[in-house]
Amino acid sequence: QKEVEQNSGPLSVPEGAIASLNCTYSDRVSQSFFWYRQYSGKSPELIMSIYSNGDKEDGRFTAQLNKASQYVSLLIRDSQPSDSATYLCAVNIGLSARQLTFGSGTQLTVLP
Amino acid sequence: GAGVSQTPSNKVTEKGKYVELRCDPISGHTALYWYRQSLGQGPEFLIYFQGTGAADDSGLPNDRFFAVRPEGSVSTLKIQRTERGDSAVYLCASSLRGLGYQETQYFGPGTRLLVL
């Protein structure tokens, strides 16, 4: 089992719809979770971080964390074509890891 | 000041050659990380520096890979006897204190390495 798993997609949604991206992680004691967006040929860009159970909202983005289920998700409301990118889930695995462990990413396409 | 910078942006080399990749972190950031990203995959951790010292080099694939950060700022990733399998995008990131917990890592634009 990989330490961080994502649905590889690709995921296509129509413009204006809600895009839902999911991620599971292996180590129950992990405490820091991040969503990065990566446009083709570019480097990862942080869009959300979440550390506590529940929801965290920032504009059109909502991150959801459920530590009991070892599950973190990202919702994108009112999806725009400019949201088309690969979304990477990243976790500081365990209690003391400084490095991030990434999932393989979910490719999202928002259709005009 | 500016974000994380990396040079060169692209590097083409021949199998067996030696290459150096450079990373200049965000000013004031004490922690620096190197990752490698292959096509269709997420970045994979290589090495982490806290100040001048390599705090964790568990991700380096073998002894052909080595990295330094002599003055606690700029870092150089060195690859000896390059192999075609080393072809990837090498990403550098930095963070303010390297605490891990609740700390954001900021990525540079990467160096695309192609080994022919």
Side-chain angles (χ1 to χ4, degrees), chain A residues 43-85:
Chain A
S43 61
E45 171 194 12
L46 180 73
I47 52 172
M48 289 286 285
S49 60
I50 187 166
Y51 312 120
S52 303
N53 277 329
D55 294 0
K56 179 181 178 182
E57 186 174 319
D58 184 0
R60 296 186 295 111
F61 299 95
T62 299
Q64 300 174 318
L65 175 61
N66 184 327
K67 290 186 179 181
S69 300
Q70 296 171 228
Y71 176 91
V72 58
S73 66
L74 179 70
L75 300 177
I76 308 174
R77 291 183 300 281
D78 188 23
S79 296
Q80 301 297 308
S82 60
D83 295 326
S84 299

Side-chain angles (χ1 to χ4, degrees), chain A residues 43-44, chain B residues 6 33-37 43 89-93 107-110:
Chain A
S43 61
Chain B
Q6 293 186 246
Y33 313 78
W34 284 99
Y35 294 84
R36 177 168 73 172
Q37 187 174 24
V89 176
Y90 288 80
L91 293 164
C92 177
F107 282 82

Side-chain angles (χ1 to χ4, degrees), chain A residues 2 31-32 34 36 38 40-44 46 49 51 88 92 95-105, chain B residues 33 35 37 40-45 48 56 58 91 98-110 112:
Chain A
K2 291 184 179 179
Q31 298 190 44
S32 301
F34 305 87
Y36 283 83
Q38 188 172 30
S40 181
K42 302 296 185 182
S43 61
L46 180 73
S49 60
Y51 312 120
L88 296 163
N92 288 113
L95 277 176
S96 59
R98 279 17 178 194
Q99 71 270 26
L100 293 172
T101 299
F102 285 84
S104 56
Chain B
Y33 313 78
Y35 294 84
Q37 187 174 24
Q41 301 297 315
E44 292 182 309
F45 169 73
Y48 151 62
D56 184 349
S58 62
L91 293 164
L99 299 179
Y101 178 58
Q102 295 193 8
E103 190 174 71
T104 297
Q105 294 184 23
Y106 299 90
F107 282 82
R112 297 180 179 278

Side-chain angles (χ1 to χ4, degrees), chain B residues 33-91:
Chain B
Y33 313 78
W34 284 99
Y35 294 84
R36 177 168 73 172
Q37 187 174 24
S38 300
L39 194 63
Q41 301 297 315
E44 292 182 309
F45 169 73
L46 295 176
I47 186 169
Y48 151 62
F49 287 90
Q50 182 62 272
T52 60
D56 184 349
D57 65 357
S58 62
L60 294 177
N62 52 59
D63 62 6
R64 296 187 297 106
F65 290 74
F66 188 71
V68 295
R69 194 185 185 199
E71 298 179 356
S73 178
V74 170
S75 176
T76 305
L77 178 66
K78 308 180 181 193
I79 310 174
Q80 299 177 323
R81 304 184 304 279
T82 52
E83 300 178 355
R84 294 191 179 89
D86 298 335
S87 297
V89 176
Y90 288 80
L91 293 164

